[in-house]
């Protein structure tokens, strides 16, 4: 028999689970379909040799939408905030990062004039109205804001750190500045990794009656009679849904749809570029250099951070769990061997002799950090989470008009749920009015 559901959510990642938890407060039947063996998507944390490794460096903005929405859903977010100190590396020389008042006035990276300019630029950043930057690229904003090349470089470095974006000539200044302002408010590294978010969302959804099917790939979505959707699975089983929330990538969504979206939306989805990176995730019995906890390359788009100094990421709480990451430009050709060498050499500079302390090490040469590199004009094409097909909604890190990363995923998941709830209330109200006797 064909299964029938009020709502079918394609994808068991953070966006899908947030939507499910809001919708679970209604009387609607809800099914989550996850193509993988395990739910969670890129928020999954792997437990390897009693160490908890996120898929690359993950941090939650303390002032971001994701944190406030997850707290609204009663999700516990246990962890601590990293300190703002650390080093910047340029031409193999280490400098104190001018991201805190002490380092600002002691670093050798900046001369006196550049120090004053950097303070002025940070104040401009914090007071900037992102809405007024919608027609500018991040590069254009940086060049208008900074006078010296060094301060320009610092803004690009801070932008990468806040957004994972390494294409200033392409990305929207509005989205970049908005995310940088959030990042300046601090981040959280989570105890036991981001899996804790998924586990809590999953358990709450199950207790509320949401059904979850993993190892279930959807290969086609098409309109069905009576305003429904037919979802054909990879084993050719069929599922009917009154509403569908699709949390897959824009390219996957395009491939799934039998009835295509309008021409403009089709073209937009096909042109969306992902944010990519390469990650080296490492657990060590100890740090050769225990004081070296955070570093960024200035010209080289590299990142290093010891997350276990602020979050519990091992069963014994004695190990060091760290991430070394390279921000990739959309035009970069991926050579896994050379990138791995680059990341390991960067770690060698910071933690000489680290190889003899390895508990586990994992290299991922090409990881999708976000399914949409935010560009000028995206906002108008992503207004709210409806598609051109009534009853079909999108959610995910790419689907929110002015947010990316976890903020975009969580925000769009909630928004899709709210729009469905509003639509149901409107229909129910109309039905009641039709049944009322006329006087």
């Amino acid at each position: 028999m064909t299964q029938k559901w009020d709502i079918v959510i394609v994808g068991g990642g953070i966006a899908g689970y947030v939507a499910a938890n809001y919708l679970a407060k209604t009387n609607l039947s809800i099914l989550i379909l996850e193509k993988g063996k395990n739910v969670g998507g890129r928020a999954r944390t792997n437990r390897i040799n009693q160490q908890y490794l996120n898929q690359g460096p993950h941090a939650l903005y303390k002032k971001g939408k994701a944190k406030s929405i997850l707290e609204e859903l009663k999700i516990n977010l246990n962890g601590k905030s990293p300190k703002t100190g650390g080093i910047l590396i340029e031409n193999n020389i280490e400098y104190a990062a001018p991201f805190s008042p002490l380092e600002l006035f002691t670093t050798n990276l900046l001369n006196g004039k550049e120090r004053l300019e950097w303070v002025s630029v940070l104040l401009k950043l914090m007071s900037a109205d992102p809405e007024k930057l919608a027609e500018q690229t991040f590069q254009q904003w940086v060049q208008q804001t900074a006078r010296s090349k060094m301060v320009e470089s610092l803004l690009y470095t801070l932008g990468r750190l806040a957004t994972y974006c390494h294409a200033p000539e392409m990305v929207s200044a509005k989205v970049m500045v908005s995310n940088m302002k959030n990042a300046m408010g601090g981040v959280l590294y989570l105890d036991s990794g981001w899996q804790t978010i998924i586990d809590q969302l999953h358990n709450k959804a199950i207790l509320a009656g949401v059904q979850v099917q993993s190892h279930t790939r959807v290969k086609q979505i098409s309109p069905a009679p009576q305003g429904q959707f037919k979802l054909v699975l990879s084993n050719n089983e069929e599922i009917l849904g009154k509403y569908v929330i699709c949390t897959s990538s824009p390219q996957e969504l395009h491939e799934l749809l039998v009835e295509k979206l309008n021409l403009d939306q089709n073209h937009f989805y096909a042109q969306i570029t992902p944010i990519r990176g390469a990650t080296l995730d490492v657990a060590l019995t100890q740090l050769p250099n225990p004081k070296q906890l955070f570093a960024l390359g200035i010209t080289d788009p590299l990142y290093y951070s010891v997350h276990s100094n602020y979050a519990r990421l091992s069963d014994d709480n004695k190990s060091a769990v760290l991430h070394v990451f390279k921000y990739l430009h959309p035009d970069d050709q991926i050579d896994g061997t050379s990138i791995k060498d680059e990341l390991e050499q960067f770690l060698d500079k910071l933690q000489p002799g680290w190889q003899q302390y390895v508990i586990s090490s994992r290299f991922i040469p090409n990881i999708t950090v976000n399914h949409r590199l935010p560009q000028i004009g995206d906002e108008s094409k992503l207004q709210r989470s409806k598609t051109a097909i009534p009853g079909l909604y999108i959610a995910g890190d790419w689907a929110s008009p002015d947010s990316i990363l976890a903020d975009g995923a969580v925000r769009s998941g909630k928004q899709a749920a709210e729009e469905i709830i509003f639509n149901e209330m409107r229909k129910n109200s109309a039905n009641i009015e039709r049944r009322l006797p006329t006087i």
Side-chain angles (χ1 to χ4, degrees), residues 320-394:
V321 175
L322 60 90
H323 300 277
V324 190
F325 190 86
K326 180 173 185 180
Y327 307 95
L328 296 175
H329 188 277
D331 295 336
D332 283 347
Q333 298 298 311
I334 308 300
D335 180 343
T337 302
S338 64
I339 291 176
K340 186 179 182 184
D341 288 344
E342 186 178 8
L343 294 179
E344 289 181 344
Q345 287 170 21
F346 191 59
L347 185 52
D348 282 337
K349 295 175 189 173
L350 302 161
Q351 297 293 342
W354 62 274
Q355 291 94 336
Q356 62 186 300
Y357 302 107
V358 172
I359 301 170
S360 57
S361 175
R362 177 181 62 190
F363 171 62
I364 306 174
N366 185 10
I367 190 168
T368 297
V369 179
N370 200 84
H371 281 111
R372 175 174 65 91
L373 185 78
Q375 300 188 53
I376 294 171
D378 285 1
E379 292 88 348
S380 62
K381 296 164 186 169
L382 280 172
Q383 285 307 317
R384 305 187 70 75
S385 55
K386 295 191 193 75
T387 65
I389 302 173
L392 175 66
Y393 298 81
I394 56 172

Side-chain angles (χ1 to χ4, degrees), residues 188-309:
L188 281 178
Y189 292 163
L190 298 179
D191 292 343
S192 300
W194 279 48
Q195 187 70 44
T196 57
I197 297 177
I198 294 298
D199 290 347
Q200 290 178 77
L201 288 170
H202 174 79
N203 292 340
K204 286 177 181 291
I206 294 296
L207 288 172
V210 176
Q211 296 293 308
V212 179
Q213 288 181 211
S214 58
H215 254 315
T216 306
R217 182 182 291 274
V218 177
K219 69 176 186 179
Q220 187 175 291
I221 301 173
S222 60
Q226 300 177 328
Q228 298 185 99
F229 290 94
K230 180 175 73 175
L231 293 87
V232 181
L233 308 183
S234 55
N235 61 2
N236 290 322
E237 287 184 21
E238 295 180 357
I239 291 175
L240 291 177
K242 185 177 176 183
Y243 298 99
V244 172
I245 302 176
C246 191
T247 71
S248 60
S249 71
Q251 292 80 12
E252 288 174 318
L253 172 62
H254 178 72
E255 291 169 5
L256 289 174
L257 296 177
V258 171
E259 179 180 302
K260 297 302 180 185
L261 304 165
N262 63 46
L263 191 61
D264 285 345
Q265 223 167 3
N266 268 345
H267 181 71
F268 172 59
Y269 287 173
Q271 295 298 314
I272 289 178
T273 301
I275 301 171
R276 298 176 303 135
T279 186
L280 178 65
D281 309 322
V282 181
L284 305 175
T285 54
Q286 67 181 72
L287 292 173
N289 185 355
K291 292 184 179 180
Q292 200 74 282
L293 300 175
F294 179 81
L296 295 170
I298 299 179
T299 301
D300 296 327
L302 300 173
Y303 162 103
Y304 154 88
S305 182
V306 182
H307 286 216
S308 59
N309 211 56

